[in-house]
Amino acid sequence: MPQRVIAEAGALLARARRVVVFTGAGMSAESGVPTFRDALTGLWQRYDPQTLATPEAFDADPALVWGWYEWRRHTTGQAQPNAGHRAVAAIEARLPGTVLITQNVDDLHERAGSADPVHLHGSLFAPRCSACAQPAVLPAGAPEPAEGRRVPPPSCTRCAAPVRPGVVWFGEALPTAAFETAVAAASSCDLLLTVGTSGLVYPAAEIPQVAARRGAAVIQVNPEATPLDPVATVNLRGTAAQMLPALLAAAWGTSG
Ligand code: BJW
Ligand code: ZN
């Protein structure tokens, strides 16, 4: 990556007053959390989203789906934030009005010090009743299921229906308040920094496009080309843990 391109992105960040950071699975890849669509390592290379990540899949085989999400909840819980997550928290500390919007269902932004990420696709750590939506408290110390193991979901303490993962599956609406917050922030920012997303899943993928249409600068961090390349003012072709500290250094002379 030529230094000139990092300097250009750094100048945009140094000038910005209202920043939105928009993250996807690539943000957590260097923490050992697999992405969805990367060749070889993506979850959708090994698992069929139709049988695991739709409401119909949960209705058809709740133990298969619950077991898969319990395995992911445990493995993700053991992952640690990387230098990219810490750089995002440093941007928020430097520019307190920054809005962090994530598609990720992990909690690595929170554990890196980000106070209040907007979770567009829910969280592995917020299961709820599949019927009455009451939040469910999972017993501490539940054993980590082996990969691929069926685990029957617990029952809701209020209505006895099965508890489901607190994530947004294909065909489900995004949480209204989260999506509205994201659209409002993207509409009024002067810089949107998109990190580690393929930009293929809608409506989340609209967020950088909304910012660009409203005249904001867009910096994209991704080692690969994406459909968001044309809306980006600057494309930083590299990983989150490499590029974000370099971006902060270029903007403010400190990596966080
Ligand atoms: C790095 C890196 C490093 C690697 N550093 N970078 C046809 C056209 C358009 C839309 C549709 C369509 N058919 C169906 C739809 C709608 C559908 C959709 O968009 N489908 C597309 C896939 C075609 N969308 C929905 O269904 C949404 N709901 C909806 O539309 O509702 C309508 C409705 C309205 C009212 C009432 C009812 C309904 C819901 C989408 C939910 C998405 N859910 C998932 C699973 C969450 C739970 C779980 O974890 O299991 O969310 S799918 C998955 O994709 C997950 C992610 O959040 C999401 C986005 O993925 P992301 O983060 O971009 O990851 P990847 O893997 O795609 O990309 C990683 C990137 O990182 C790559 O670019 C790498 O290069 C890069 N990278 N290492 C930086 N170290
Ligand atoms: Zn219930």
Side-chain angles (χ1 to χ4, degrees):
M1 168 66 47
Q3 200 55 39
R4 175 185 54 76
V5 182
I6 296 175
E8 188 186 346
L12 290 173
L13 178 57
R15 271 204 303 275
R17 291 295 162 263
R18 293 183 310 281
V19 174
V20 167
V21 183
F22 176 69
T23 66
M27 181 84 230
S28 299
E30 286 152 299
S31 296
V33 179
T35 66
F36 294 93
R37 296 174 183 79
D38 277 290
L40 305 178
T41 56
L43 285 171
W44 297 157
Q45 303 294 326
R46 291 192 288 145
Y47 298 101
D48 175 10
Q50 292 305 324
T51 60
L52 290 164
T54 66
E56 294 76 17
F58 186 68
D59 289 344
D61 195 342
L64 177 74
V65 173
W66 183 256
W68 190 63
Y69 279 96
E70 276 296 274
W71 167 70
R72 285 180 55 206
R73 184 172 70 89
H74 278 86
T75 50
T76 301
Q78 287 153 18
Q80 298 303 323
N82 64 55
H85 295 104
R86 289 191 289 276
V88 170
I91 293 173
E92 294 177 79
R94 178 108 181 188
L95 296 171
T98 298
V99 179
L100 170 58
I101 302 164
T102 186
Q103 299 166 85
N104 296 345
V105 296
D106 63 46
D107 61 354
L108 293 173
H109 280 303
E110 288 91 332
R111 287 199 271 135
S114 289
D116 197 15
V118 177
H119 280 274
L120 289 182
H121 291 160
S123 164
L124 289 170
F125 303 96
R128 66 175 189 275
C129 174
S130 59
C132 75
Q134 175 175 249
V137 179
L138 299 178
E144 177 179 333
E147 185 174 353
R149 176 70 55 86
R150 280 184 161 70
V151 179
S155 298
C156 173
T157 55
R158 184 155 73 188
C159 77
V163 168
R164 59 159 284 174
V167 301
V168 180
W169 285 323
F170 286 112
E172 294 189 310
L174 274 55
T176 306
F179 190 62
E180 285 177 0
T181 300
V183 171
S187 303
S188 60
C189 68
D190 53 22
L191 173 68
L192 184 138
L193 173 59
T194 174
V195 185
T197 180
S198 59
L200 292 172
V201 175
Y202 282 81
E206 286 170 11
I207 297 301
Q209 299 171 16
V210 166
R213 274 200 302 272
R214 296 292 288 252
V218 174
I219 300 172
Q220 174 170 238
V221 175
N222 198 309
E224 306 290 337
T226 81
L228 297 173
D229 283 16
V231 303
T233 318
V234 181
N235 279 294
L236 296 179
R237 285 269 188 269
T239 72
Q242 292 167 351
M243 284 299 157
L244 291 174
L247 173 64
L248 268 62
W252 300 316
T254 163
S255 60

